[in-house]
Structure formats: structure tokens, C-alpha cells
Amino acid sequence: NKYGLHARPAAKFVEIASKYSADVILTKEGVDVNGKSIMGVLMLAAEKGHQVTLKTSGRDEETLMNILADFLQGNMDEA
């Protein structure tokens, strides 16, 4: 979205990720964080235009990858 991955969409991202058993790693500029940690996601400071890499691993990794990728590529529930 136009503000990047700030507090509200970061909290929503973590909420979604936490519903699944797969592990989630977000990477920006070589820094990896736990995608189920609000502090980790906020620490990335992913502003508009920054590229993040999403990795999932575990039992439901493919489902979670698709859901989170759609979330990140969309408006992140921002009006």
C-alpha cells in the first residue's frame, strides 16, 4: 500500500501467519525476521517501494505462501 508495511498491515500479516503451522520468514536487504513476530515485521521498516522476500516452510507452507503473497501484493486491507 502507499504507506508500506506499517503497524496496521504488519499486525494483520502476523495475525494471518499465526493461524497456520508453517514457519514464515520475511527478508529485506539481507535481514531475516520471523513473520509471526510483530516486532520482527515492524523492524524491517518496509516502506512503499521496498522489496521483501517471503519464505514459508512446514505442513501448510504452500497455502500460507499464497495467502500472504496475495496480502502483500494487494492493498493490505487498507482503504
Side-chain angles (χ1 to χ4, degrees), residues 19-75:
K19 292 179 181 179
Y20 295 84
S21 64
D23 293 328
V24 180
I25 301 295
L26 275 176
T27 305
K28 183 188 122 205
E29 298 173 352
V31 176
D32 293 342
V33 299
N34 180 347
K36 293 184 178 185
S37 164
I38 187 65
M39 294 306 293
V41 175
L42 289 173
M43 186 181 80
L44 283 182
E47 298 175 351
K48 181 181 179 180
H50 285 164
Q51 183 173 350
V52 295
T53 302
L54 175 63
K55 299 175 192 169
T56 58
S57 62
R59 187 173 42 127
D60 46 12
E61 64 186 62
E62 190 172 328
T63 299
L64 184 55
M65 172 65 81
N66 292 331
I67 291 168
L68 292 176
D70 287 347
F71 177 78
L72 290 173
Q73 293 172 348
N75 67 2

